[in-house]
């Protein structure tokens, strides 16, 4: 299959996501595909990962090497892998992927697991962006979340990464924590701002079903903030980070100009990508497929068939346009009508009559260059708005 | 059979005083029904009537009474009258077809407001009135006191009262004797040109429109060409007959007779109760119509909307069918921004409205949203023209209106003395004007008030019952329009007027009423993504306001490659959930159907 044919159907995947499901310990709020790292399981997993990557890349491009523009290694905690395992991991990538076109190569890391040696290895193997799961700078919230690292480690991780040569660093922060006062939040935000990173992802805490934190709320051991308090925290985050020069470009993401995460932008632009590893999602030729989440199920499927897709769905033109709309409206740049129509064949104005009501209520707005977007006031209730567009 | 052997009479009574049972006793005695049939209330043929213990539509039945004393067979036409004040005009037409009436008084209750109203009607028609004290078999019967009331309140001699029990069959012979002896035979000239009074009509699936007639002069035969005096329309008689009690065709109806007629009529609205049927062979100008004709005028209106928008056609068919049998019921299509397509319906009164609504739901299985009932208003405009308003949302702009005029009713109450204070307070709350007060003996009082009809159609009867522990009774009749300080109150949901919630009410009570509506709306409308303003306004002036706070937070923080499908499904579910909720869009606000129902609920909630 030539590139042109694929391009006609959908832009060719330019991003690669690789999932590493291992962690040093499991966080109490996390519902991602992850498990405690052991050498044996990592060994088998990496084997399966190599198989899947080779098969999927060959499916995509039988005659050429796959040369993505972005690579994102997420988890789990990819840096929970040992130096030896990481080395094997990068060898696998190098064997099956042509990294010559890569402009952004991100890895997720935890403050507790990023020593100088690992950081040096990452840099050496081409990783140029690191996303640090700091989450909070206050011990009581770190323990509430079940994070293994200390507040100190969180603070030191950024200078450590800088010292290793990373000039594109992101930190993750969680807000809306139970018992978190406006002052608590401000202290975390000040600490983040002081780190002078290029990028911040700030997530409102979600109590996902099946997590220990959710169970604790159900048992009445933990009292979540009220929706009003959570919304107020979110507003504070947006305002404070902006003052620190970190411009919001997506519901939960902030960056210095030009440092937006390219790989993630691809998701929100509904572009094609290849994802490998447990729970990884791919979007190729308008088909969304997701691998088994469970590591055993993933490994067994790959060992048996070379692939591990658990669910897949081909989107109709209407569905993909609506999905694109919902995703693009997460972005602060918003949606430009003519451009959107040209790209998706969907007339925003006609399909999205609810927008008029939202504009009138100040939940959506038109930017100076005429793009439609969810206003800052609308962001805390973005799902309510987006639900009208699906 | 000679006219001198005919008697035409009605039974008039307050609700629940046992009219139907007594009537059935008379039918049984004269062999019109069997013992077995007696146990069903023959004259009332709708479930609803039986349940409510009232007669909605008049009926007539011809009884053959073989009088023991002279061996002659008399033809007694018993004309049943509707038992409720809403059908006052129809009662008066039924009475106009008679020469006499049995005035039934429940001996355990005494004279009640409707007894008085009906008796007054009977006297106005110069009927020979025979008082009957019913339910004398009950231990609680107060025969002497009731007889004294009959004399004091109605001016009939105590000694004239016949003691009876419909349930036990006591007094039936005496009543039949009295009908023959104390009610005069009909007058009228069988050789004069035809004049017949229409006192009722109904629709029959087989025979079409059945018109109930009392021949005043002349004769009626099959094939005769006839004309309705007021409409001027002519028809040919298809069948004439008498009810025995099933319709039994006959060859001739002549002066003094009561019976039915079918003609080449398709629509019941071509038959007007109170109109005169005359021979089409006689010029219209040459006929003097029978007196007292009135066009049926609906006094109370409300909007009826199907709860499910798909049922509009079914509702229309049901209304068509109901109207076939109810010449006083009117309706026309109405489109409400808030409630969609439906119908504006006019009724004689509140009970009439309730009956129609209940029949629609019960017999036609249509779930309804009913708007608050309103009366008909007259407005005088600055350009000296006047307009009749049957729907508050259609009222002209306040700047065009010089003044409002509202229908007034004269209301009679009979209440035990201990409740006078409560009833007076109720009347004053409802803008009533005191007219007079008379004691009946020492225990009960007749009170008379003039009260705006609008205040009566709104839960007044229930209120009276509650403040008198069920002992108070009332009757009212429309007496004309009167100027009043009224205003149209609009309800705005987030700046958009909701037509279905507009009301016309007295300025003094407007704010309280508006606040109640807003509070109910506030409780019913779910949170939106924005703060919803609820306002009530007269013209441009806001008289009450409430607000519904906005949803504070509803956002998915993380949405990357693996989350997209799940996220989309989540959003679709949210949207689906909203769709399932039956609601109407008022501007950007989705108002659940239940909200309208709650707002329109006329029951008082004291905790507001």
């Amino acid at each position: 299959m030539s590139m042109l044919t694929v391009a006609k159907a959908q832009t060719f995947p330019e991003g690669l996501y690789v999932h590493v499901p291992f962690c040093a310990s499991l966080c109490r709020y996390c519902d991602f595909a992850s498990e405690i790292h052991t050498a044996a399981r990592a060994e088998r997993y990496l084997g399966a990962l190599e198989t899947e990557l080779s098969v999927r890349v060959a499916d995509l491009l039988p005659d050429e090497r796959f040369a993505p523009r972005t690579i994102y290694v997420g988890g789990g905690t990819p840096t929970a892998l040992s130096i030896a395992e990481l080395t094997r991991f990068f060898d696998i990538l190098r064997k099956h992927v042509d990294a010559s076109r890569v402009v952004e190569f991100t890895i997720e890391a935890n403050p507790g697991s990023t020593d100088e040696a690992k950081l040096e290895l990452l840099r050496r193997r081409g990783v140029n962006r690191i996303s640090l799961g700091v989450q909070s700078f206050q011990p009581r919230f770190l323990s509430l979340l079940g994070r293994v690292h200390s507040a100190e480690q969180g603070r030191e991780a950024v200078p450590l990464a800088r010292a290793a040569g990373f000039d594109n660093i992101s930190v993750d922060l969680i807000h809306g924590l139970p018992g978190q006062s406006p002052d608590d939040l401000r202290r975390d935000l000040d600490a983040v701002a002081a780190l002078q990173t290029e990028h911040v992802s700030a997530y409102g805490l979600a109590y996902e079903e099946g997590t220990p934190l959710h169970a604790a709320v159900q048992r009445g051991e933990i009292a979540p903030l009220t929706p009003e308090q959570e919304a107020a925290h979110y507003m504070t985050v947006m305002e404070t980070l902006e003052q620190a020069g970190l411009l919001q470009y997506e519901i939960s993401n902030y960056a210095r100009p030009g440092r937006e995460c390219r790989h993630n932008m691809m998701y929100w632009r509904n572009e094609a990508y290849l994802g490998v590893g447990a729970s990884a999602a791919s979007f190729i030729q308008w088909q969304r497929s997701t691998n088994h989440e469970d590591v055993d199920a993933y490994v067994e499927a790959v060992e048996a068939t070379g692939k591990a897709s658990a669910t897949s769905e081909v989107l109709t033109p209407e569905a993909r346009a609506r999905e694109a709309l919902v995703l693009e409206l997460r972005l602060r740049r918003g949606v430009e009508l003519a451009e959107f129509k040209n790209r998706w064949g969907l007339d925003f104005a006609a399909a999205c009559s609810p927008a008029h009501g939202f504009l009138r209520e100040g939940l959506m707005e038109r930017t100076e260059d005429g793009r439609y977007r969810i206003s800052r006031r609308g962001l805390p209730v973005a799902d309510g708005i987006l639900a009208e567009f699906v | 059979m000679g006219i001198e052997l005919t008697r035409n009479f009605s039974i008039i009574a307050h609700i629940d005083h046992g009219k139907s049972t007594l009537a059935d006793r008379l039918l049984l005695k004269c062999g019109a029904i069997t013992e077995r049939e007696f146990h069903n209330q023959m004259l009332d043929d709708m479930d609803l009537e039986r349940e409510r213990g009232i007669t909605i539509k008049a009926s007539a039945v011809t009884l053959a009474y073989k009088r023991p004393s002279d061996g002659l067979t008399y033809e007694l036409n018993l004309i049943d009258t509707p038992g409720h004040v809403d059908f006052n005009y129809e009662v008066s037409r039924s009475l106009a077809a008679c020469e006499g009436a049995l005035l039934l008084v429940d001996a355990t209750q005494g004279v009640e407001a409707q007894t008085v109203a009906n008796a007054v009607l009977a006297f106005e028609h110069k009927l020979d009135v025979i008082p009957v004290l019913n339910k004398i078999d009950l231990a609680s019967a107060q025969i002497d006191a009731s007889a004294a009331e009959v004399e004091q309140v109605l001016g009939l001699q105590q000694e004239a009262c016949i003691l009876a029990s419909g349930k036990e069959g006591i007094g039936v012979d005496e009543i039949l004797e009295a009908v023959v002896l104390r009610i005069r035979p009909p007058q009228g000239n069988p050789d004069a040109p035809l004049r017949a009074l229409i006192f009722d009509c109904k629709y029959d699936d087989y025979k079409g429109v059945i018109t109930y007639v009392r021949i005043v002069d002349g004769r009626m035969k099959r094939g005769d060409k006839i004309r309705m005096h007021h409409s001027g329309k002519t028809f040919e008689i298809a069948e004439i007959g008498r009810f025995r009690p099933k319709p039994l065709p006959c060859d001739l109806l002549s002066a003094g007779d009561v019976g039915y007629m079918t003609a080449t009529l398709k629509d019941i609205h071509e038959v007007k109760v109170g109109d005169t049927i005359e021979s089409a062979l006689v010029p219209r100008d040459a006929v003097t119509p029978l007196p007292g004709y009135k066009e049926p005028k609906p006094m109370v209106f409300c909007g009826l909307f199907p709860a499910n928008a798909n049922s509009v056609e079914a509702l229309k068919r049901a209304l068509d069918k109901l109207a076939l049998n109810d010449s006083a019921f009117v309706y026309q299509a109405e489109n409400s921004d808030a409630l969609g397509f439906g119908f504006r319906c006019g009724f004689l009164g509140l009970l009439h409205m309730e009956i129609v609504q209940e029949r629609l739901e019960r017999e036609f299985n249509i779930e309804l949203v009913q708007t608050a009932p309103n009366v008909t208003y007259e407005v005088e405009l600055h350009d000296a023209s006047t307009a009749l308003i049957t729907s508050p949302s259609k009222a002209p702009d306040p700047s065009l209106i010089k003044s409002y005029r509202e229908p007034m009713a004269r209301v009679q109450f009979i209440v035990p003395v201990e409740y006078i204070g409560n009833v007076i307070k109720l009347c004053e709350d409802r803008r009533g004007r005191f007219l007079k007060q008379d004691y009946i003996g020492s225990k009960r009082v007749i009170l008379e008030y003039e009260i705006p009809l609008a205040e009566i159609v709104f839960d007044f009867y229930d209120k009276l019952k509650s403040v008198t522990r069920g002992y108070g009774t009332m009757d009212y009749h429309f007496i004309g329009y009167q100027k009043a300080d009224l205003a149209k109150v609009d309800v705005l949901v987030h700046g958009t007027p909701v037509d279905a919630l507009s009301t016309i009410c007295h300025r003094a009570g407007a704010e309280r009423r508006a606040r109640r509506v807003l509070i109910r709306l506030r409780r019913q409308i779910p949170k939106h993504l924005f703060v919803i303003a609820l306002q009530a306004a007269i013209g441009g002036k806001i008289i009450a306001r409430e607000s519904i706070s906005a949803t504070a937070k509803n956002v998915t923080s993380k949405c990357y490659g693996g989350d997209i499908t799940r996220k989309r499904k989540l959003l679709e579910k949210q949207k689906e959930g909203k769709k399932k909720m039956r609601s109407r869009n008022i501007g950007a606000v989705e108002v659940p159907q239940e909200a309208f129902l709650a707002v329109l609920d006329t029951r008082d909630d004291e905790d507001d």
Side-chain angles (χ1 to χ4, degrees), chain B residues 398-582:
Chain B
S399 66
L400 301 173
I401 296 175
K402 195 170 155 201
S403 67
Y404 271 99
R405 287 152 58 78
E406 65 176 334
M408 299 299 293
R410 193 179 175 111
V411 188
Q412 280 186 324
F413 303 92
I414 295 186
V415 294
V417 284
E418 58 264 45
Y419 302 118
I420 295 179
N422 292 351
V423 175
I424 289 175
K425 181 170 186 311
L426 174 63
C427 292
E428 281 172 358
D429 286 349
R430 301 303 180 98
R431 298 189 282 132
R433 189 168 71 84
F434 174 79
L435 297 177
K436 66 179 194 183
Q437 170 178 332
D438 283 311
Y439 273 77
I440 311 175
S442 58
K443 296 214 174 89
R444 299 203 303 160
V445 172
I446 300 183
L447 278 172
E448 263 187 51
Y449 269 84
E450 200 176 287
I451 305 177
L453 190 61
E455 301 283 351
I456 300 173
V457 299
F458 215 70
D459 74 354
F460 188 84
Y461 187 69
D462 292 341
K463 269 275 150 58
L464 173 72
K465 285 289 168 194
S466 109
V467 302
T468 62
R469 297 186 171 223
Y471 288 112
T473 58
M474 65 175 273
D475 196 272
Y476 69 89
H477 61 277
F478 170 63
I479 52 172
Y481 282 87
Q482 197 173 82
K483 207 161 163 176
D485 188 16
L486 303 178
K488 177 185 165 206
V489 178
D490 292 313
V491 172
L492 293 86
V493 171
H494 215 52
T496 306
V498 184
D499 53 5
L501 299 182
S502 290
T503 52
I504 290 172
C505 63
H506 197 258
R507 245 174 240 276
E511 198 182 313
R512 193 178 58 89
R513 190 173 281 192
R515 195 163 301 284
R516 192 170 74 169
V517 168
L518 296 191
I519 288 170
R520 287 182 177 182
L521 267 184
R522 191 190 68 200
R523 289 178 183 161
Q524 293 290 327
I525 299 176
K527 281 187 175 188
H528 277 51
L529 299 180
F530 44 87
V531 176
I532 301 170
L534 303 174
Q535 296 164 310
I538 294 177
K541 188 174 164 257
I542 304 296
I543 59 166
R545 66 179 84 229
E546 288 284 336
S547 67
I548 300 170
S549 63
T551 303
K553 187 177 159 276
N554 178 18
V555 58
T556 304
S557 254
K558 284 190 183 183
C559 185
Y560 301 108
D563 308 312
I564 293 170
T565 306
R566 192 165 52 140
K567 160 95 172 169
R568 194 189 73 223
K569 287 186 175 147
L570 190 106
L571 293 176
E572 280 170 353
K573 217 163 123 188
Q574 270 190 36
K575 192 176 186 178
E576 209 46 48
K578 274 174 94 177
K579 261 195 209 154
K580 266 192 203 144
M581 184 177 77
R582 276 212 303 245

Side-chain angles (χ1 to χ4, degrees), chain A residues 5 9 14 47 64 71 93 110 191 207 269 275 298 315 339 369 374-376:
Chain A
T5 325
E14 301 240 72
E64 305 167 44
I71 299 176
L93 281 187
N110 265 359
Y207 302 88
R269 306 245 313 135
Y298 166 78
L315 298 184
E339 180 195 301
D369 52 347
I374 296 176
S375 71
R376 189 155 272 185

